[in-house]
């Protein structure tokens, strides 16, 4: 029976958590702050819960250098839930902006002053002719996000601005040159997945095409960072919203984090009334997916899993204690670990084939195939069996693509990456 210390777990999520965080959490689960109750038993309306949320928000802000004009929300539903939530909320924000433009054209100071029939007619025309959501599809998760937008709104409102499969023989593994992207004018949002967990594709940097101008004006950019958040510095100010599930680099399954510009929330940008959205033929968000509602209630409109927020908070505290230079320190380690593993794979090109193009290789999800004597399936089965025998687990690729996937998240120690690299070398030479 292996102990925890014997295993290096490379699973894609739920991912490995620091042992010290789990040890502390186990005590908090039994008796939090000598209250006689575990943290999962305390009311989400208690001061304990509010303190845990506020501290986690503060530490995340410090670690990522999040500007003051952003709000942090803790939600539920995972990244998949955010595929819907971003559509609901950012289409609503687009309607609010468009309504302000039309009111100005009508010479009205407020919605109440305007001729309602005129206003709704003009808004409906704008929705039918101008509303678009742009998607950069570079892997399985961004494809799912694009498909969800089409399901909720209708394909006439979604724009496939780029599709990686068109430049890679029908498969994911590259990112098309930005000059080929077909972006809409004034899109309600431009969505992309910064790191494709299934396909091992990561954007090397923020896209130049989407960088705001010198006045801070630019596209409404939304990014899914579920599997690479906290692993490198990001230009938060370039994004309108960033979302990520906690279960990769931040904590345990159960909470999803949204970092959103306050300019997309009241009072700057109140959501349109449900009545108006229905008149325009647009969907109204479920209340638990309403950013406005979640922000107004400090993430506590409904019963949030405070234990999972606590776990995330402890991970952040450990990161801040480990890296005085914050995310830059973690990025240096993440890059080093990825380099060790990729170099081991590159050393044996007759055995290993790294799936994505070198220009977009993920540091977090390292996807490769293993072939000896023209046998891939049998060789990979042996690779997984022998890896498990030496304590390297969770390496099986996603069911949709197969192969091997080493998820090199922050909790994987440098020694763990080296152990995998040594195994890769030894297996090829056996």
């Amino acid at each position: 029976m292996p102990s925890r210390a014997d295993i290096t777990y490379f699973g894609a999520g739920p991912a490995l958590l620091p042992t010290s965080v789990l040890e502390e959490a186990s005590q908090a689960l039994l008796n939090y702050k000598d209250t006689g109750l575990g943290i999962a038993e305390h009311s989400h309306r208690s001061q304990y819960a509010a303190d845990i949320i506020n501290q986690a928000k503060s530490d995340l802000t410090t670690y990522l250098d999040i500007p003051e004009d952003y709000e942090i929300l803790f939600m539920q539903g995972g990244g998949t839930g955010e595929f819907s939530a971003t559509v609901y909320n950012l289409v609503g924000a687009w309607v609010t902006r468009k309504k302000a433009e039309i009111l100005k054209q009508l010479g009205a100071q407020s919605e109440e002053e305007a001729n309602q029939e005129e206003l709704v007619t003009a808004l409906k025309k704008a929705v039918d002719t101008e509303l678009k959501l742009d998607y950069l599809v570079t892997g399985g998760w961004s494809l799912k996000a694009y498909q969800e937008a089409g399901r909720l709104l209708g394909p006439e409102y979604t724009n496939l601005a780029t599709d990686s499969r068109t430049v890679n023989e029908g498969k994911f593994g590259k990112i098309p040159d930005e000059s080929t992207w077909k972006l809409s004018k004034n899109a309600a949002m431009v969505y992309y997945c910064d790191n494709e967990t299934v396909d091992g594709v990561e954007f090397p940097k923020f896209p130049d095409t989407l960088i705001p101008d010198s006045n801070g004006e630019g596209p409404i950019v939304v990014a899914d960072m579920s599997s690479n958040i906290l692993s490198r510095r990001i230009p938060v100010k370039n994004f309108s919203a960033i979302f990520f599930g906690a279960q990769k680099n931040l904590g345990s399954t159960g909470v999803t984090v949204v970092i959103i510009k306050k300019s997309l929330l009241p009072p700057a940008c109140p959501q349109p009334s449900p009545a108006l959205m229905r008149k325009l033929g647009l969907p109204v968000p479920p209340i638990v997916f309403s950013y406005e509602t979640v922000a107004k209630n400090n993430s506590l409109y409904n019963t949030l899993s405070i234990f999972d927020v606590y776990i995330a908070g402890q991970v952040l505290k450990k990161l801040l204690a480990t890296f005085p230079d914050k995310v830059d320190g973690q990025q240096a380690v993440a890059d080093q670990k990825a380099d060790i593993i990729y170099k081991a794979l590159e050393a044996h090109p007759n055995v290993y084939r790294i799936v994505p193009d070198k220009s977009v290789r993920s540091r977090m999800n390292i996807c490769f195939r293993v072939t000896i004597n023209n046998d891939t399936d049998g060789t990979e089965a042996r690779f997984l069996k022998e890896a498990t025998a030496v304590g390297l687990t969770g390496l099986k690729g996603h069911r949709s693509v197969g192969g091997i996937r080493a998820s090199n998240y922050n909790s994987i120690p440098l020694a763990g990456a080296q152990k995998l690299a040594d195994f890769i070398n030894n297996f090829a030479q056996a």
Side-chain angles (χ1 to χ4, degrees):
M1 179 76 68
S3 69
R4 184 175 180 84
D6 297 326
I7 298 297
T8 305
Y9 180 63
F10 290 93
L16 186 71
L17 283 163
T19 298
S20 61
V21 167
L22 291 179
E23 288 172 343
E24 179 134 359
S26 68
Q27 294 303 310
L29 195 57
L30 288 172
N31 188 351
Y32 183 63
K33 291 187 176 294
D34 294 323
T35 59
L37 288 177
I39 196 168
E41 298 163 309
H42 279 284
S43 169
H44 65 297
R45 304 292 184 201
S46 67
Q47 189 61 48
Y48 294 114
D51 290 345
I52 287 167
I53 288 172
N54 293 334
Q55 188 62 56
K57 288 167 66 172
S58 175
D59 288 342
L60 182 60
T61 297
T62 299
Y63 183 77
L64 289 179
D65 290 320
I66 299 172
E68 291 183 359
D69 57 337
Y70 285 76
E71 182 60 83
I72 297 170
L73 313 176
F74 288 99
M75 300 179 66
Q76 297 168 62
T80 301
E82 290 306 315
F83 296 164
S84 302
T86 51
V87 170
Y88 289 130
N89 288 276
L90 293 176
V91 165
W94 183 91
V95 169
T96 294
R97 294 194 301 275
K98 186 58 62 174
K99 183 177 71 174
E101 289 178 22
I102 293 171
L103 286 172
K104 189 174 181 180
Q105 293 166 8
L106 296 175
Q109 297 297 315
S110 66
E111 187 174 345
E112 290 72 27
E113 286 185 19
N115 180 297
Q116 292 301 302
E117 186 176 345
E118 236 185 334
L119 174 62
V120 172
T121 299
L123 267 174
K124 186 68 172 72
K125 182 180 178 181
V127 167
D128 292 342
T129 59
E130 300 175 39
L131 177 60
K132 288 291 182 185
L133 288 83
D134 287 358
Y135 284 82
L136 310 179
V137 173
T138 56
W141 287 115
S142 51
L143 177 61
K144 287 179 183 293
Y146 169 68
Q147 291 169 335
E148 177 67 353
R151 188 183 72 85
L152 291 175
L153 285 181
E156 66 270 26
Y157 297 117
T158 57
N159 173 41
L160 184 56
T162 195
D163 185 344
S164 291
R165 294 169 295 183
T166 61
V167 296
N168 197 44
E169 299 177 346
K171 296 181 179 180
F172 295 119
K174 292 183 179 180
I175 296 176
D177 189 272
E178 292 184 35
S179 64
T180 68
W181 296 359
K182 296 178 173 61
L183 298 169
S184 305
K185 182 181 179 181
N186 298 322
M189 72 173 182
V190 182
Y191 162 94
Y192 74 95
C193 182
D194 202 43
N195 185 80
E196 293 281 3
T197 319
V198 171
D199 305 282
V201 170
E202 184 175 30
F203 276 77
K205 61 184 179 66
F206 187 87
D208 292 335
T209 306
L210 304 179
I211 294 175
D213 63 23
S214 57
N215 297 317
E217 299 295 323
I220 305 292
V221 180
V222 174
D224 178 353
M225 294 189 180
S226 289
S227 52
N228 66 346
I229 194 68
L230 310 187
S231 73
R232 67 177 181 181
R233 180 164 291 281
I234 53 175
V236 178
K237 62 182 176 57
N238 290 354
F239 297 93
S240 294
I242 299 166
F243 68 83
F244 46 96
Q247 69 274 13
K248 315 287 188 178
N249 276 333
L250 181 59
S252 53
T253 304
V255 291
T256 310
V257 183
V258 178
I259 302 169
I260 184 168
K261 269 189 175 179
K262 291 178 181 177
S263 59
L264 290 170
L265 298 169
C269 187
Q271 284 285 302
S273 69
L276 177 59
M277 293 295 276
R278 283 193 291 270
K279 288 177 183 177
L280 299 176
L282 295 173
V284 178
I287 199 74
V288 295
F289 281 166
S290 166
Y291 293 158
E292 180 176 312
T293 300
V294 176
K296 182 180 177 181
N297 291 276
N298 194 28
S299 300
L300 290 171
Y301 179 78
N302 64 324
T303 309
L304 184 67
S305 176
I306 298 301
F307 178 68
D308 293 313
V309 180
Y310 170 81
I311 292 280
Q314 294 305 112
V315 169
L316 286 165
K317 286 191 179 303
K318 182 176 177 62
L319 286 169
L320 288 168
T322 304
F323 300 108
D325 48 354
K326 301 178 290 190
V327 70
D328 296 316
Q330 177 63 78
Q331 179 172 343
V333 174
D335 292 350
Q336 184 181 3
K337 291 189 298 173
D339 187 58
I340 288 169
I341 297 170
Y342 277 122
K343 279 184 176 176
L345 294 169
E346 290 173 333
H348 307 282
N350 58 320
V351 176
Y352 302 109
R353 178 178 66 84
I354 300 169
V355 174
D357 188 75
K358 190 169 185 176
S359 63
V360 295
R361 287 178 184 171
S362 170
R363 301 160 307 120
M364 295 289 103
N365 306 104
I366 299 170
C367 298
F368 58 97
R369 304 307 301 260
V370 191
T371 305
I372 296 177
N373 296 327
N374 295 318
D375 176 17
T376 300
D377 291 344
T379 304
E380 289 179 345
R382 183 164 64 86
F383 181 96
L384 291 170
K385 182 178 180 181
E386 293 182 14
T388 299
V390 296
L392 300 168
T393 64
L395 287 164
K396 189 174 182 179
H398 191 272
R399 62 187 180 278
S400 65
V401 296
I404 310 296
R405 174 176 56 176
S407 292
N408 183 38
Y409 297 136
N410 289 351
S411 55
I412 298 292
L414 188 60
Q418 187 62 59
K419 184 178 178 181
L420 176 58
D422 292 342
F423 176 80
I424 286 169
N425 284 316
N426 294 336
F427 185 87
Q429 295 166 357

